[in-house]
């Protein structure tokens, strides 16, 4: 870990993809985490991926890092009275901007922070343990929950599709989908072939926890879906 910190500090290379997985929880203080996150973002030319355990503690650290990068870049790129002589600085400031590429379809506060449920924003992946740790893993698969964020340099150029934040509940001829939407809210929609069409209904039935759902939720559309 010491070598990695020194490497980030003294080398000026930047990378299209920077990944930090299950490491923020190991840092002793908020100050150390802030310093590491700043260095990781300085190394990022495209995408920064942060992954932690899918617990409340891991979720809080991911939200802490997400907020730090979004707010720091917002403050750096707030320009007033830019004239022609400052065009180059303006262009550089746009390159320094950041937005959330995944999982959030928005840059607002995570709605899990305000829903009062105490539930972290997490996702689940299934994997097969390595045989060096267990004798017989031929038919064994385990599940792990994780929280993550992918931050991308630049402005958000278009509205993102909503993301499934819990497994869908399939019922007779309809399906309940819990979605995080571009408005920064959690929405539960009920989809059937009658209210959304056969193509979207089949897509929703085959979508997994964490997938994007190709639907645009306007007020009128949500009313039609619920009806």
């Amino acid at each position: 870990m010491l070598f990695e910190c020194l490497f980030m500090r003294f080398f000026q290379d930047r990378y299209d993809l920077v990944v930090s997985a299950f490491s923020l929880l190991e840092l002793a203080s908020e100050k150390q985490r802030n310093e590491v996150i700043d260095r990781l973002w300085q190394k990022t030319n495209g995408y920064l991926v942060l992954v932690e355990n899918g617990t409340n503690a891991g979720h809080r650290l991911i939200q802490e890092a997400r907020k730090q990068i979004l707010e720091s870049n917002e403050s750096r790129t707030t320009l007033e009275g830019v004239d022609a002589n400052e065009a180059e600085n303006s262009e550089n400031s746009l390159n320094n901007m950041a937005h959330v590429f995944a999982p959030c379809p928005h840059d607002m506060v995570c709605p899990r922070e305000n829903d009062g449920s105490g539930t972290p924003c997490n996702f689940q992946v299934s994997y097969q343990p390595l045989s060096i740790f267990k004798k017989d893993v031929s038919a064994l698969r385990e599940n792990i929950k994780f929280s993550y964020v992918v931050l991308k340099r630049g402005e958000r150029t278009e509205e993102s599709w909503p993301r499934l934040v819990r497994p869908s509940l399939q019922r007779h001829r309809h399906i309940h989908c819990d979605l995080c939407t571009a408005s920064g809210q959690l929405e539960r929609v009920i989809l059937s072939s009658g209210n959304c069409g056969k193509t979207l209904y089949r897509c929703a039935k085959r979508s997994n926890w964490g997938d994007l759902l190709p639907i645009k939720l306007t007020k009128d559309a949500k009313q039609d879906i619920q009806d």
Side-chain angles (χ1 to χ4, degrees):
M1 187 62 192
L2 179 61
F3 173 79
E4 292 179 354
C5 288
L6 291 174
F7 179 86
M8 288 191 294
R9 181 177 300 170
F10 293 114
F11 289 81
Q12 301 302 316
D13 296 332
R14 297 178 69 178
Y15 305 91
D16 292 334
L17 178 64
V18 177
V19 180
S20 172
F22 306 105
S23 58
L24 295 178
L25 277 171
E26 298 179 2
L27 300 177
S29 67
E30 181 178 354
K31 180 181 179 181
Q32 287 181 324
R33 291 196 298 271
N34 291 341
E35 290 175 352
V36 169
I37 291 165
D38 277 339
R39 291 176 196 158
L40 289 170
W41 185 241
Q42 290 166 12
K43 291 293 179 187
T44 302
N45 199 42
Y47 299 85
L48 172 61
V49 182
L50 303 174
V51 186
E52 290 295 334
N53 292 316
T55 59
N56 282 310
H59 166 75
R60 283 194 297 270
L61 289 188
I62 291 296
Q63 295 306 311
E64 179 183 285
R66 178 186 185 274
K67 179 180 179 182
Q68 177 182 336
I69 291 175
L70 291 178
E71 289 187 350
S72 65
N73 280 274
E74 181 179 340
S75 64
R76 291 172 190 166
T77 56
T78 301
L79 298 177
E80 297 181 359
V82 176
D83 56 25
N85 294 328
E86 296 174 318
E88 184 177 351
N89 291 334
S90 177
E91 182 178 354
N92 290 335
S93 70
L94 292 176
N95 291 333
N96 287 330
M97 293 181 70
H99 69 274
V100 180
F101 182 77
C104 322
H106 60 85
D107 299 329
M108 291 168 271
V109 176
C110 175
R112 291 287 184 198
E113 299 289 298
N114 302 318
D115 66 357
S117 67
T119 303
C121 178
N122 57 19
F123 303 90
Q124 184 170 282
V125 65
S126 178
Y127 70 98
Q128 185 169 333
L130 296 175
S131 58
I132 59 174
F133 299 118
K134 296 187 178 181
K135 293 183 179 179
D136 184 14
V137 295
S138 57
L140 178 64
R141 296 191 69 82
E142 296 183 1
N143 296 320
I144 185 173
K145 291 181 179 178
F146 64 97
S147 295
Y148 80 103
V149 67
V150 182
L151 294 144
K152 182 181 179 181
R153 284 199 180 272
E155 290 184 289
R156 185 183 296 275
T157 57
E158 58 185 16
E159 184 175 315
S160 301
W161 288 336
R163 189 178 299 275
L164 286 162
V165 293
R166 283 295 177 263
S168 299
L169 301 175
Q170 298 196 28
R171 298 294 184 261
H172 182 60
R173 295 186 178 179
H174 67 277
I175 183 169
H176 297 248
C177 298
D178 290 326
L179 304 172
C180 183
T181 67
S183 65
Q185 302 294 321
L186 295 175
E187 303 275 357
R188 170 167 286 194
V189 298
I190 303 173
L191 304 177
S192 68
S193 59
N195 65 16
C196 67
K198 291 183 178 180
T199 301
L200 181 57
Y201 177 57
R202 289 171 181 167
C203 178
K205 288 182 65 176
R206 289 166 175 76
S207 295
N208 297 315
W209 181 5
D211 289 345
L212 293 172
L213 196 63
I215 183 174
K216 186 168 287 189
L217 293 175
T218 63
K219 289 184 178 180
D220 293 339
K222 284 189 281 187
Q223 183 64 40
D224 292 341
I225 288 172
Q226 297 300 341
D227 293 343

